[in-house]
Amino acid sequence: MASRSDTKTRILDAAEKLFAERGFSETSLRLITSKAEVNLASVNYHFGSKKELIRAVLARYLDVFMPLATDELKQLKAEKQHIPLEQVFSVLVNPLLELNKLRPDGTTLFLQLLGRGYIESQGHLRWFITTHYGEHLSFFVDAVSESVPEIPKADMFWRLHFTLGTIVFTMASADALMEIAAADFNEQNDIEAVIRKVIPYMAAGVNAPQLTA
Amino acid sequence: MASRSDTKTRILDAAEKLFAERGFSETSLRLITSKAEVNLASVNYHFGSKKELIRAVLARYLDVFMPLATDELKQLKAEKQHIPLEQVFSVLVNPLLELNKLRPDGTTLFLQLLGRGYIESQGHLRWFITTHYGEHLSFFVDAVSESVPEIPKADMFWRLHFTLGTIVFTMASADALMEIAAADFNEQNDIEAVIRKVIPYMAAGVNAPQLTA
DNA sequence: ACTTATTTAAAACACTCGTTTAAATTAAAC
DNA sequence: GTTTAATTTAAACGAGTGTTTTAAATAAGT
């Protein structure tokens, strides 16, 4: 069983699911390998260490998502010179939904993994993301700044991190929130609905009026 | 050394600092007790278990903060009938800053602990907070709803959780963010400055215009 | 077909964790 | 001052962790 190296894929598939659900440090290699039905040692054989497995799990999505997002943004910038802020954020929706074609629940998994990563990581993941995808990131950040040029760079720094917190936390607990919304308000949401709910919130936040003491 | 039961306090003081810095599950009892200069077993003797220690650390702040916040809000509601949303959020500022009188860096520690709690907790902390301080929480939530009555209950549910994510994430990484802001923008911020930056963001987000596809 | 390299397998290693036990110490009660 | 209770201490327990090692099985190269 487990011919050739779909072992690697089996590990990645099992790992991403468990990582998204319970976080990185709360997920043991033994749990991953038992769910993947592979041998414990194969993780270290194929990935070297748990840290590198975590990076590999994220890279599988980032390698698809980042170029897609950059492409869409470039296309939009070619069409018109000034882009409303909300539209900059909306540029991310399609690339995110593309991930569902990559794997079942790909969008949710990716966003939750990203959330876990930013929350848990003691640097190694932050470092990995910024050094491997830094250009895509700053391209996006620049586009945001151009959309609302009246906001000082320093304030923009803070507001974009607020935004990061908003989506990261929302996605890390998206499953629980969707359940509650279903029970309390008879709202049957999927991840796309949540994304479309959060975008106006973030756009309004980033573009908030200042010095309103 | 460590006469009577300031052992309990020494443990709480050391624990809250470490919990805020590195999270609950990443902080071992051995690290706590060595920083507190007490015996390892004293944690289980005084608190029963690590879980109960975590709850005790949070309760020490919540018991002060929650009544203060409710009082301020009640006072404001007595003064005028309609309160602008931003003012409802601002009600939390003074109670938060009061915590600095309780202990050095009390405000930062509390907010970071709260962030860690909401991120890490597999239920036991969420349960603890809602059952012990649920009345204060819903009193605040109701005040928010009254400030922006045009927003449907279901949308408000989502937006308040977005808000929770914003502050929780911001506070959990506040130290790192303040360092970056100092290096990149020569901004010397303290926790109060960050709070005052985030409030307009959250208020604008909660009050964002709808269906702006 | 035989050899070489790759992959899988089972077991052990070395370590950390929260918790418990039982004895020693300190404080309180009378 | 003696007895009783509360607290501190050192040591061990048992379970779980990521990683390494060694040998067996499988696939590839020639």
Side-chain angles (χ1 to χ4, degrees):
Chain A
M1 219 157 293
S3 75
R4 275 284 296 138
S5 209
D6 69 350
T7 297
K8 228 170 149 172
T9 308
R10 297 174 67 90
I11 293 172
L12 287 169
D13 289 346
E16 70 174 9
K17 200 167 180 173
L18 293 166
F19 284 154
E21 274 173 9
R22 17 165 79 228
F24 300 113
S25 64
E26 304 290 331
T27 304
S28 70
L29 294 182
R30 282 170 177 81
L31 182 58
I32 293 171
T33 53
S34 78
K35 289 271 181 190
E37 297 181 72
V38 301
N39 187 271
L40 168 64
S42 57
V43 172
N44 290 79
Y45 176 78
H46 284 288
F47 298 96
S49 68
K50 187 182 179 181
K51 273 188 183 177
E52 288 173 88
L53 170 62
I54 293 173
R55 289 198 282 262
V57 164
L58 266 155
R60 209 160 54 139
Y61 285 102
L62 289 168
D63 288 341
V64 174
F65 171 76
M66 286 292 190
L68 277 178
T70 298
D71 284 354
E72 289 237 12
L73 191 52
K74 276 188 175 150
Q75 195 175 322
L76 190 64
K77 284 180 89 165
E79 285 168 14
K80 44 181 168 181
Q81 50 185 21
H82 180 265
I83 311 169
L85 178 58
E86 198 160 326
Q87 220 163 342
V88 178
F89 286 131
S90 297
V91 142
L92 304 179
V93 175
N94 282 335
L96 281 173
L97 296 179
E98 275 301 308
L99 303 178
N100 272 331
K101 298 173 186 164
L102 209 69
R103 250 176 307 284
D105 284 312
T107 306
T108 314
L109 287 170
F110 170 62
L111 286 172
Q112 295 187 347
L113 289 167
L114 209 64
R116 299 288 184 187
Y118 259 89
I119 286 165
E120 284 191 35
S121 90
Q122 312 280 31
H124 85 100
L125 254 182
R126 231 180 203 115
W127 171 87
F128 170 74
I129 292 177
T130 47
T131 58
H132 282 73
Y133 311 94
E135 302 209 3
H136 295 96
L137 288 175
S138 50
F139 187 67
F140 179 79
V141 170
D142 289 347
V144 172
S145 282
E146 288 165 23
S147 294
V148 278
E150 65 274 13
I151 295 182
K153 289 268 182 245
D155 286 344
M156 185 54 79
F157 162 82
W158 283 101
R159 292 182 174 193
L160 281 180
H161 274 92
F162 298 158
T163 299
L164 186 62
T166 310
I167 89 138
V168 147
F169 177 89
T170 301
M171 294 310 158
S173 45
D175 289 337
L177 294 178
M178 286 190 286
E179 263 184 45
I180 299 172
D184 290 9
F185 308 106
N186 268 49
E187 264 195 11
Q188 200 56 46
N189 292 298
D190 54 10
I191 198 73
E192 182 177 352
V194 177
I195 294 173
R196 298 210 181 273
K197 276 178 198 298
V198 79
I199 285 180
Y201 179 96
M202 301 188 307
V206 170
N207 203 14
Q210 307 192 272
L211 47 114
T212 328
Chain B
M1 218 157 291
S3 75
R4 274 285 297 136
S5 210
D6 70 347
T7 298
K8 231 172 147 170
T9 308
R10 297 175 66 91
I11 292 172
L12 287 169
D13 288 346
E16 71 173 9
K17 200 166 180 172
L18 292 166
F19 284 154
E21 275 173 10
R22 20 167 76 227
F24 300 113
S25 63
E26 305 290 329
T27 304
S28 71
L29 295 183
R30 282 172 177 80
L31 182 58
I32 293 171
T33 52
S34 77
K35 289 270 180 190
E37 298 181 70
V38 300
N39 188 271
L40 168 64
S42 57
V43 172
N44 290 78
Y45 176 78
H46 284 288
F47 297 95
S49 69
K50 187 181 178 180
K51 274 188 183 176
E52 289 173 88
L53 170 62
I54 293 173
R55 290 198 282 263
V57 163
L58 265 154
R60 209 160 55 139
Y61 286 101
L62 289 168
D63 288 342
V64 174
F65 171 77
M66 286 292 189
L68 276 178
T70 298
D71 284 354
E72 288 239 11
L73 191 53
K74 275 187 174 148
Q75 195 175 322
L76 190 64
K77 283 180 90 165
E79 286 169 13
K80 45 182 167 179
Q81 49 185 24
H82 181 265
I83 311 169
L85 178 58
E86 199 159 326
Q87 220 164 344
V88 178
F89 286 131
S90 297
V91 141
L92 304 179
V93 175
N94 281 333
L96 283 174
L97 297 179
E98 274 301 308
L99 303 178
N100 271 331
K101 299 175 187 165
L102 209 67
R103 250 177 307 284
D105 284 313
T107 306
T108 314
L109 286 170
F110 170 62
L111 286 173
Q112 294 186 347
L113 289 167
L114 208 64
R116 301 286 185 186
Y118 259 89
I119 286 165
E120 284 192 35
S121 88
Q122 313 280 29
H124 84 101
L125 254 181
R126 230 179 203 114
W127 172 88
F128 171 74
I129 292 176
T130 46
T131 56
H132 282 74
Y133 311 94
E135 301 209 6
H136 295 97
L137 288 176
S138 49
F139 187 66
F140 179 79
V141 170
D142 289 347
V144 172
S145 281
E146 287 166 23
S147 293
V148 277
E150 65 275 14
I151 295 182
K153 288 270 181 241
D155 286 343
M156 184 54 81
F157 162 81
W158 283 103
R159 293 183 173 193
L160 281 180
H161 273 91
F162 299 157
T163 300
L164 186 62
T166 309
I167 88 138
V168 147
F169 177 89
T170 300
M171 294 311 158
S173 45
D175 290 336
L177 294 178
M178 287 190 285
E179 264 184 45
I180 299 173
D184 290 10
F185 308 106
N186 268 52
E187 265 195 11
Q188 200 57 44
N189 292 297
D190 56 9
I191 198 73
E192 182 177 353
V194 177
I195 294 173
R196 298 209 181 274
K197 276 180 197 296
V198 78
I199 285 180
Y201 178 96
M202 301 188 308
V206 171
N207 203 13
Q210 307 193 268
L211 48 115
T212 330

